[in-house]
Amino acid sequence: MLKELLDHFDQAISAAMVDDPVEHGRFTRAYVRAVFHDQALGKNNPSAGMSMTVLADPELQTHWSNWLAERLQIHEATDSNAMCEVVRLAADGVWLASFSTDPRTPFHTDRALSQMIALTYPPGANSFTNSDCDRH
């Protein structure tokens, strides 16, 4: 089951990368988009149970870690910078937060997605500033 989930995730990432003309951060943008769009967020996701199992099973964690390490090695030239790493970790946090049933912890997925994507472009190539966070 995990292999099928990773295959689907990998295909979503590959498809998003084809449509992205900017090399710098391309894998990270595709990863973030796959987390937000191609993988249904939250407990209503049909694969949510398996996804959560990965957190608890060391063998599945190893499989996920190996998959991610392989992708990061492939895209090292374009996505090994610190900002892309932070954005991927933030996407993982959004995925995890989407399982919360506590209404006091909502997040604005559209806003988060657009800001995370903006952070993956080369320095000076986007209009994101810290003040953007203050306006929302």
Side-chain angles (χ1 to χ4, degrees):
M1 176 81 166
L2 180 62
K3 181 177 178 355
E4 289 85 17
L5 289 174
L6 285 178
D7 287 346
H8 176 75
F9 193 56
D10 208 26
Q11 290 169 2
I13 290 170
S14 295
M17 289 179 67
V18 168
D19 295 331
D20 188 338
V22 179
E23 287 186 5
H24 181 94
R26 183 183 292 153
F27 170 76
T28 299
R29 285 188 296 281
Y31 181 93
V32 169
R33 287 183 174 115
V35 167
F36 275 78
H37 295 297
D38 297 312
Q39 302 292 309
L41 287 173
K43 61 186 179 306
N44 296 326
N45 178 340
S47 60
M50 183 61 187
S51 297
M52 293 304 288
T53 301
V54 171
L55 297 175
D57 185 318
E59 185 176 332
L60 295 178
Q61 288 174 15
T62 298
H63 191 68
W64 163 257
S65 294
N66 289 341
W67 176 88
L68 184 57
E70 288 172 9
R71 294 329 170 267
L72 293 175
Q73 183 176 19
I74 291 167
H75 303 288
E76 181 178 11
T78 59
D79 291 76
S80 64
N81 62 78
M83 187 57 74
C84 284
E85 182 177 11
V86 167
V87 169
R88 287 189 305 273
L89 291 169
D92 294 343
V94 166
W95 171 81
L96 187 59
S98 74
F99 291 96
S100 174
T101 58
D102 187 341
R104 298 173 297 168
T105 58
F107 58 92
H108 305 280
T109 55
D110 292 341
R111 182 176 68 192
L113 174 62
S114 66
Q115 296 301 318
M116 290 166 69
I117 293 296
L119 290 169
T120 65
Y121 288 98
N126 66 63
S127 61
F128 176 81
T129 64
N130 288 334
S131 62
D132 289 335
C133 294
D134 298 335
R135 286 186 272 184
H136 298 285

